[in-house]
Amino acid sequence: MKTVLILGASSDMAQAIAKKYASEGWGLQLAALETDLIEPLAGDLKVRSGAEVQTMFFDATDFSSHQGAYEALEPKPDAVVAVFGYMGDQIEARTNFEEVRKTIDINFTGMVSVFNIVADAFEKRGSGSIIAISSVAGDRGRQSNYIYGSAKAGLTTYLSGLRNRLAKKGVHVMTVKPGFCRTKMTENMELPGALTAEPEQVARAVFRGMEKKRSVVYTLWIWRWIMLIIRHIPEPIFKKMGL
Amino acid sequence: MRTISDWGNYPVIEAEVSGFDTADQLRSKLEHPGDVIAFGNGRSYGDSSLQERVLLTRRFNKFLAFDDSTGELRCQAGVLLSEILDVFVPRGWFLPVTPGTKLITIGGAIAADVHGKNHHVDGSFGQHVISMDVMRSDGSIITCSPTEHAEFFKITVGGMGLSGLILNATFKLRRIETAYIREETIRAANLDEIMDCFEASGDWTYSVAWIDCLARGDAMGRSIMMRGEHLKRDELTDPSRKQEPLILKGGVKLGVPFRFPNFALNPLTMKAFNVAYYHKCRPGAHLHVTDYNSFFYPLDAIDNWNRIYGRRGFTQYQFVIPKEAGREGMRRILKRITESGLGSFLAVLKLFGEQNSFMSFPMAGYTLALDFPISLKAMDLFKELDAMVADYGGRLYLAKDSRMDAAMFEKTYPNADAFRQSIATLNQGPTRFSSLQSKRIGITL
């Protein structure tokens, strides 16, 4: 049985991803800050598939704990999917540096800390999939969320470099950009239907992308084109837009 | 705040919308005073799950336990029937009762006490519920069953989410040997023929008829009966299916990507569809093997099919009249509908068996369900139909309704008064379970 480690397993997206892997016969290691939220999920997965399910505490910003946490894993995972993230409050981040630090620590530094460890282990072993949920917000800085966006841009760039390093070593690195997703963060928001993915769609895209060893996955194809256009708007025009 | 509506896209309202992951989170949401109602997967047609504040249950969707020897499944109320099928059909289990869509939650199935093609044999969904936990508006949790807190259980099954929010439920799945159905289709030339056919189909587990509600005169009530049984393993002949009799290969998923303009569905296009659909089935009876999705959920294969009705939205008029009134009553009502020319292509006829629930819709008799695009003319027609349905001692299905008035509800649901009083007692605190529908038909204030 193959095993997947899901980091930040309490989010809607992570839960959908966990269910998808379970339905494909994978064993699961669920790690989250709020362990009380992943216990019901673990029970659910056991009923679903009889899969091996472990739950564990994980704090993305407690960087020094990451090495030990990875060493304690048994078995070592065949794939790691990092779903944790923090949207943050852009307005507050302008004046409150703690908000900035938190946004960067979770979305960028935490990811880098974990993946440095995983990458070394997978490289030595010569196999494995490293998958991270990044964001279309990182494709170009916009006034409405450039702190979050720049942390995600950093993550996207890091993953691109990691992929470049590990491609020849049999290790697959995949960047996932979901676009709008119907989750608890957005449940009271008006979202454009055609641009909004359900968590289950993200989960299917993650699993299929892993099987096909894709590099960069946009959950909904339309986002690839939207971001392509947004990236190519000349800066003199872009800076005057209210995005 | 965001706009929200149920399946008929009528009415559409602005609501404060939020979900929950744990019972504790739900309890803290119920601490805010005001009117709230649970919202599952939005497949009721009207305003049963609409309110100024709406509690989404879809995130509360975990399986809790399954007993392989008895088929007893315990799960949270936000689980969809489709999720149960995906997990348990390959293991040889099927739902005890299923409506014509699998995209509803368990909570919704119990609250609306849904029925299926096997009602005459197995009753409604609520009759298969062994026990459930329900959170009341004061945050307390009641574990109820037909024997424990039986009164509360009674008003919760079919209680449209007004007694409390169903957290989880235990119910029994049924054993199946294959994922296939042995289906027989029979073409009936008119209403009498199809009713004879229902009378003669009592031994079949599943039976339902599609009825052409635009055909008039001698052809009025012409129908196609579909009846079926779960296929046994040794009845499978196709070698590729025989190997994995419980596994279905993925089908093609179609979708309606945007709302059609209102004029797309007009008398001409609907008539054309009905004529074609009727004649697609040759006269006489035909046996074939089909998979459970095609048999039970043909429309689920088309994402967002409700969009074909356009922005105006639609409603489904589903009534039942007692069997004694059946032939004459159904003929009169159907005649009025065909004369109006307003019906559309989705009209379904079924003979229910006995039912003795407190608030549930089914009763021994004939039920007819028809979709109508929303229009003033249709609203006038419904008023006329209401009067006929009430005269015959019938009633309307709350899960489909968006327009019945309080007098009609009062007249046709024998326990309306007792139910209203029970709900009033439960709703004494500052937080009340109440929907736009329950206000409209006078169950809540």
Side-chain angles (χ1 to χ4, degrees):
Chain A
M1 184 191 277
K2 289 193 165 182
T3 301
V4 60
L5 168 65
I6 299 179
L7 299 168
S10 60
S11 75
D12 298 333
M13 216 183 273
Q15 303 215 5
I17 291 169
K19 287 177 182 177
K20 177 65 185 167
Y21 275 85
S23 76
E24 299 286 345
W26 285 56
L28 291 118
Q29 294 167 332
L30 308 174
L33 194 57
E34 299 158 295
T35 42
D36 57 322
L37 289 184
I38 54 175
E39 287 308 332
L41 174 66
D44 172 273
L45 296 170
K46 282 175 197 160
V47 172
R48 252 167 217 276
S49 67
E52 293 278 333
V53 185
Q54 304 171 25
T55 59
M56 58 203 77
F57 174 80
F58 167 74
D59 180 352
T61 58
D62 184 5
F63 311 125
S64 61
S65 72
H66 294 166
Q67 184 73 44
Y70 188 82
E71 278 163 16
L73 289 176
E74 187 50 51
K76 293 287 178 264
D78 300 275
V80 178
V81 185
V83 192
F84 61 84
Y86 177 68
M87 183 73 86
D89 183 328
Q90 173 68 30
I91 302 295
E92 193 182 336
R94 282 199 234 161
T95 51
N96 178 358
F97 189 71
E98 273 317 300
E99 184 72 2
V100 175
R101 193 198 295 276
K102 188 174 171 189
T103 306
I104 293 172
D105 277 357
I106 295 177
N107 294 306
F108 179 70
T109 322
M111 288 271 186
V112 171
S113 164
V114 168
F115 283 143
N116 272 354
I117 296 161
V118 174
D120 281 354
F122 281 14
E123 185 180 34
K124 249 180 241 147
R125 194 176 67 191
S127 71
S129 273
I130 290 174
I131 300 165
I133 306 296
S134 189
S135 171
V136 296
D139 284 8
R140 190 161 192 181
R142 291 171 294 126
Q143 62 178 321
S144 55
N145 65 352
Y146 60 84
I147 302 291
Y148 174 76
S150 54
K152 287 293 195 182
L155 172 61
T156 299
T157 304
Y158 170 82
L159 292 168
S160 154
L162 199 61
R163 180 160 42 244
N164 190 224
R165 165 185 153 199
L166 296 176
K168 311 121 205 156
K169 306 286 176 63
V171 178
H172 167 227
V173 178
M174 184 165 86
T175 314
V176 182
K177 301 179 184 179
F180 293 138
C181 187
R182 191 47 87 194
T183 66
K184 55 190 124 181
M185 277 194 293
T186 61
E187 66 194 0
N188 199 31
M189 279 161 55
E190 213 76 61
L191 292 178
L195 304 184
T196 306
E198 295 295 328
E200 290 75 22
Q201 282 176 293
V202 179
R204 283 195 296 271
V206 165
F207 193 83
R208 198 167 350 108
M210 181 194 69
E211 284 189 313
K212 304 208 154 162
K213 299 210 184 298
R214 296 237 158 86
S215 301
V216 179
V217 169
Y218 288 82
T219 309
L220 297 177
W221 60 269
I222 193 162
W223 277 103
R224 186 180 293 273
W225 299 99
I226 292 173
M227 295 322 294
L228 186 75
I229 292 164
I230 288 183
R231 273 202 310 273
H232 284 85
I233 299 171
E235 195 67 19
I237 299 170
F238 190 81
K239 70 182 181 192
K240 293 184 185 135
M241 295 171 74
L243 290 163
Chain B
M1 297 283 275
R2 70 173 169 101
T3 58
I4 187 165
S5 64
D6 274 313
W7 192 239
N9 286 321
Y10 174 85
V12 179
I13 63 155
E14 284 276 319
E16 187 69 37
V17 174
S18 69
F20 55 94
D21 296 296
T22 63
D24 287 340
Q25 285 179 14
L26 174 61
R27 187 176 294 113
S28 68
K29 285 184 190 286
L30 291 176
E31 279 164 12
H32 299 280
D35 291 340
V36 292
I37 195 74
F39 186 103
N41 206 37
R43 249 51 177 198
S44 65
Y45 280 60
D47 50 2
S48 313
S49 61
L50 300 184
Q51 185 50 279
E52 53 197 39
R53 200 147 60 87
V54 154
L55 297 168
L56 304 179
T57 63
R58 270 295 285 128
R59 229 162 66 209
F60 199 65
N61 63 347
K62 307 294 177 296
F63 291 118
L64 301 172
F66 181 66
D67 183 335
D68 240 315
S69 59
T70 61
E72 262 183 49
L73 174 65
R74 189 170 134 83
C75 66
Q76 293 177 337
V79 168
L80 296 179
L81 301 190
S82 61
E83 295 176 284
I84 295 175
L85 293 167
D86 286 347
V87 172
F88 290 101
V89 167
R91 288 151 76 170
W93 299 95
F94 199 74
L95 297 162
V97 164
T98 176
T101 174
K102 57 181 173 175
L103 301 175
I104 67 164
T105 62
I106 285 297
I110 297 171
D113 197 13
V114 299
H115 56 267
K117 297 174 168 64
N118 56 342
H119 183 272
H120 59 289
V121 181
D122 297 304
S124 57
F125 193 90
Q127 288 160 262
H128 300 268
V129 176
I130 296 164
S131 79
M132 56 185 164
D133 294 336
V134 183
M135 187 175 287
R136 287 177 37 180
S137 52
D138 63 5
S140 62
I141 295 175
I142 296 192
T143 301
C144 62
S145 74
T147 53
E148 190 184 2
H149 292 291
E151 280 299 304
F152 188 78
F153 184 84
K154 199 173 80 176
I155 61 166
T156 301
V157 172
M160 301 307 285
L162 300 171
S163 62
L165 194 145
I166 300 168
L167 291 173
N168 56 58
T170 307
F171 49 94
K172 222 173 173 153
L173 302 181
R174 74 163 65 214
R175 266 259 173 238
I176 51 170
E177 293 183 17
T178 73
Y180 299 93
I181 300 289
R182 175 162 55 87
E183 183 188 28
E184 187 173 73
T185 53
I186 303 166
R187 201 165 99 168
N190 55 45
L191 193 60
D192 265 325
E193 269 192 43
I194 189 65
M195 286 179 142
D196 289 342
C197 196
F198 269 113
E199 309 275 346
S201 300
D203 291 344
W204 287 76
T205 306
Y206 300 106
S207 63
V208 73
W210 168 86
I211 181 166
D212 179 352
C213 60
L214 298 175
R216 302 182 191 197
D218 293 342
M220 188 178 82
R222 67 181 184 187
S223 316
I224 295 166
M225 154 76 85
M226 288 155 267
R227 50 194 196 185
E229 295 291 341
H230 288 287
L231 199 73
K232 300 259 188 286
R233 184 181 286 250
D234 56 23
E235 291 172 310
L236 261 181
T237 46
D238 186 323
S240 68
R241 288 176 173 176
K242 234 175 171 161
Q243 248 175 4
E244 289 184 306
L246 290 161
I247 311 291
L248 297 182
K249 305 281 176 287
V252 182
K253 187 101 176 158
L254 303 173
V256 179
F258 55 85
R259 291 218 168 101
F260 279 26
N262 287 345
F263 61 78
L265 278 196
N266 59 50
L268 213 65
T269 54
M270 293 199 238
K271 179 115 193 151
F273 175 88
N274 280 11
V275 169
Y277 195 89
Y278 179 73
H279 288 285
K280 199 185 79 172
C281 180
R282 287 165 292 129
H286 310 279
L287 257 182
H288 62 279
V289 169
T290 182
D291 64 83
Y292 76 84
N293 278 322
S294 318
F295 184 74
F296 290 104
Y297 314 114
L299 282 171
D300 285 346
I302 309 167
D303 266 342
N304 301 315
W305 63 262
N306 55 341
R307 289 180 181 162
I308 61 174
Y309 287 96
R311 292 222 170 265
R312 67 196 149 172
F314 73 109
T315 189
Q316 188 174 83
Y317 192 82
Q318 181 169 4
F319 66 90
V320 59
I321 54 175
K323 207 166 168 201
E324 314 81 70
R327 299 220 173 203
E328 187 228 325
M330 199 53 89
R331 181 165 299 110
R332 238 186 94 212
I333 295 171
L334 196 58
K335 186 153 184 286
R336 185 65 197 90
I337 294 169
T338 56
E339 278 169 7
S340 80
L342 293 172
S344 75
F345 41 55
L346 293 163
V348 168
L349 181 68
K350 155 122 201 100
L351 179 59
F352 281 151
E354 293 291 336
Q355 171 120 10
N356 295 308
S357 307
F358 190 67
M359 278 304 293
S360 305
F361 165 68
M363 63 168 82
Y366 281 98
T367 180
L368 180 66
L370 310 103
D371 286 1
F372 290 87
I374 296 288
S375 71
L376 286 175
K377 266 197 205 156
M379 291 295 179
D380 290 342
L381 173 68
F382 297 153
K383 279 272 175 205
E384 281 182 55
L385 300 180
D386 284 357
M388 290 193 258
V389 168
D391 272 353
Y392 288 117
R395 56 179 168 242
L396 305 184
Y397 191 9
L398 294 177
K400 307 284 178 75
D401 162 64
S402 57
R403 35 71 46 193
M404 149 166 62
D405 61 24
M408 175 72 182
F409 173 69
E410 198 69 41
K411 234 185 300 181
T412 54
Y413 276 79
N415 296 317
D417 207 41
F419 184 60
R420 182 184 313 109
Q421 284 171 24
S422 302
I423 298 303
T425 313
L426 292 167
N427 268 345
Q428 273 168 351
T431 306
R432 294 169 301 270
F433 282 109
S434 145
S435 63
L436 297 187
Q437 177 180 55
S438 74
K439 290 192 174 191
R440 173 167 49 77
I441 62 176
I443 305 175
T444 59
L445 292 174

